[in-house]
Amino acid sequence: MGLFVRAFTRQNIVAIAVGVLVAGTPLVTFNFWLGGVIERQGQQEADGSARRAIALADQRLDQVMRVLDRLAALKTDGCGSSQIAAMQQAAFVTPPIKEVAILGPAGEVLCGNRNIFAIQRRLLSSEPLTGAADYSLDVIQLADEQQMVQLRRAVGQSKNQLAALVPAALFLPQVSHQDETPGAYVQIETREGVSIGESGSRPTDHYGDMSVAAQQSGKFGFTVEVMTPRGSVIAGHSDLKWFGLFITGVIMVILAGFGMMMPQRNVDNPVAELERALAAGEFVPYYQPIVDIRSGQLRGAEVLVRWRKADGSLVLPGSFIPLAESSGLIRAMTFDLMRRVCVEAGPSIGRRPALKISFNFAGMLFADETIIRDVRNTFALSPIKLSQVVLEVTERDPIENFTLTRQVIAGLQGLGVRIAIDDGGTGHSGLSYMLKLGVDIIKIDKMFVDAIGTDRNSTTIVETLIDLAHNMRMDVVAEGVENFEQVMHLRELGIRSAQGYVFAPPLPGSAFLQLVEAMDTLGSESEDEGEDQVVLMPNDRVAAA
Ligand code: C2E
Ligand code: CA
Ligand code: CA
């Protein structure tokens, strides 16, 4: 009997061991595979962030150098009134630049367009810039600990030099924003290893849980070091990992069961692909600044959706919005976009009540009263107030149910939301018909903006449109403004707000938020002083002056 029990037990043990081996091998393999995936993904993220950081630093430097080159071409090497004016203009049109100054032979400040240069400061490093003869790059710390990059440039044979100050923070991507990895750390250094700046907090231990990437700018010699957490939650808790694997196993069995029971899904179904992408959070907001063309200040932004695919490619809305509309997915997509904007830009926009944020709303959404409730709920907990929200309805699509649409618009306006007619002047229904909807803003289509000044008919149409808008106490925004002449014409016509490539293209969230910060008053002590306001002006203003 005792022998039997022993044999039975041994048999059992062998059976259990074989069972564990057979069942466990795929799990262990899966575990290794998962580890590899986490590691590779972390590395790819870190490499991508480093590449983006280098591109940002190169682009900032190029932008500042173009301005200094232009000033040097104008022989700006002294403190004459026209030279000061040229410096003022240069700083005015280039948001990253905080000040332009002339330095004497010993590096002393002779004059500048503001007086940041006069503030007490400490020179942390100075070195010639690779990839740009005549240039030196200094890292400077101001009395308030703020770190600045100073670019210096020789001017012809002059003993004096031109210098521009740029906050070091503008050379760094904002790692805390949604499109970067949370918990990531970025540091950028000069060629000689002096830190220009860092963002995020440097990890103190657990280096094993971090993916580390370093890249160097081929052009200017900067190096960027990026550390991103590599699935540290999973790596740090093995019990969690086993639990995760157990759940995965169960899910796989259920999925296999479903897979056998369900008919084959059509993988080529583009609507299913849109649904998948929506669930995976691949539709992200880009922001195109809307600018006050009289003062150069930011008035807000229009949110334009982008499909950021897993491979990093970016798809423009023209190729998926029509299908999203015809399939009815547009509603979920639009509200998902709004929620993303609330999370990503809510704090920044909420703090600045004068900024407005516009969303494109497909005409069909206005034919449903429940969107009034959904819009209110979406912004209920967001710092963005409903009075900052603008919904754009295009004039291109016919309005199916005019009475209902008008009611819904009135309901939205009751919440404080403002409604804009998009693509004004291009629709089939006619503008006067659209205006009967009782909207607050009209956006003049690019087609007319392009024709102003060249085509008498279009200019007359625009003038009529503006008169009409002003009589009805509506705001007017010009769209697709691409050059300085158009800005001048629009100003003459009395238009206040405009958007277009001449100011900025649609920007990813992190870049837009940087712009919002850069265009604010500088430093807390100078918050009331209008003179410290950085403004956004047409890119070719310097050339035109
Ligand atoms: P839209 O509302 O008229 O947006 C303006 C379009 O003009 C944007 O194209 C923008 O990138 C482009 N643009 C801006 N400035 C300039 C310029 O100076 N020159 C030129 N040539 N183009 C400029 P995008 O982002 O490709 O969007 C195309 C259209 O897709 C939008 O036209 C809008 O109708 C639609 N759309 C975008 N996002 C959404 C969304 O979230 N929901 C809905 N329903 N439609 C959207
Ligand atoms: Ca629009
Ligand atoms: Ca438009």
Side-chain angles (χ1 to χ4, degrees), residues 23 123 355 396 480 502:
L123 185 66
L355 292 187
R396 286 184 207 276
V502 72

Side-chain angles (χ1 to χ4, degrees), residues 71 74-88 102:
L71 285 172
L74 295 171
K75 300 223 171 10
T76 316
D77 61 351
C79 300
S81 57
S82 63
Q83 291 168 315
I84 300 257
M87 290 193 279
Q88 264 164 351
I102 300 291

Side-chain angles (χ1 to χ4, degrees), residues 302 392 396 422-423 443 445 479:
E302 175 177 359
E392 300 187 1
R396 286 184 207 276
D422 198 359
D423 312 313
K443 298 189 78 172
D445 191 71
E479 288 191 306

Side-chain angles (χ1 to χ4, degrees), residues 22-245:
V22 171
T25 307
L27 280 183
V28 173
T29 315
F30 175 71
N31 186 12
F32 275 116
W33 173 80
L34 190 66
V37 168
I38 291 171
E39 191 167 333
R40 270 197 307 281
Q41 209 171 338
Q43 195 57 48
Q44 271 170 9
E45 266 172 32
D47 288 341
S49 297
R51 268 196 305 278
R52 284 195 293 279
I54 286 286
L56 177 72
D58 280 358
Q59 183 214 339
R60 285 272 187 263
L61 213 56
D62 274 335
Q63 200 181 0
V64 178
M65 282 168 54
R66 271 199 305 276
V67 170
L68 291 185
D69 286 346
R70 252 184 250 152
L71 285 172
L74 295 171
K75 300 223 171 10
T76 316
D77 61 351
C79 300
S81 57
S82 63
Q83 291 168 315
I84 300 257
M87 290 193 279
Q88 264 164 351
Q89 178 132 46
F92 185 68
V93 296
T94 319
I97 296 186
K98 293 295 168 248
E99 182 164 13
V100 182
I102 300 291
L103 306 184
E108 73 283 15
V109 181
L110 300 181
C111 53
N113 67 306
R114 290 229 298 259
N115 50 12
I116 300 176
F117 271 100
I119 298 173
Q120 201 184 3
R121 66 218 198 109
R122 202 152 64 89
L123 185 66
L124 301 182
S125 78
S126 185
E127 58 189 74
L129 193 64
T130 35
D134 295 344
Y135 271 96
S136 306
L137 182 138
D138 308 328
V139 181
I140 282 174
Q141 201 172 45
L142 299 184
D144 64 357
E145 302 273 288
Q146 209 193 146
Q147 205 147 306
M148 294 269 176
V149 168
Q150 172 175 277
L151 264 191
R152 277 184 287 122
R153 185 199 197 288
V155 189
Q157 301 304 315
S158 171
K159 292 205 177 65
N160 295 340
Q161 284 186 305
L162 265 166
L165 275 189
V166 181
L170 292 185
F171 284 82
L172 286 161
Q174 298 290 302
V175 287
S176 58
H177 292 312
Q178 215 189 16
D179 53 349
E180 295 285 347
T181 317
Y185 167 79
V186 179
Q187 185 185 39
I188 182 161
E189 293 179 346
T190 67
R191 184 171 34 93
E192 291 175 5
V194 177
S195 170
I196 292 182
E198 54 184 357
S199 61
S201 48
R202 179 179 260 281
T204 45
D205 50 14
H206 297 307
Y207 273 88
D209 293 344
M210 306 295 285
S211 301
V212 181
Q215 296 260 346
Q216 185 165 32
S217 155
K219 203 166 169 191
F220 300 118
F222 292 133
T223 49
V224 162
E225 187 189 20
V226 173
M227 294 187 192
T228 52
R230 181 204 298 160
S232 48
V233 179
I234 299 176
H237 300 81
S238 56
D239 47 350
L240 200 67
K241 183 154 64 178
W242 283 110
F243 180 67
L245 284 175

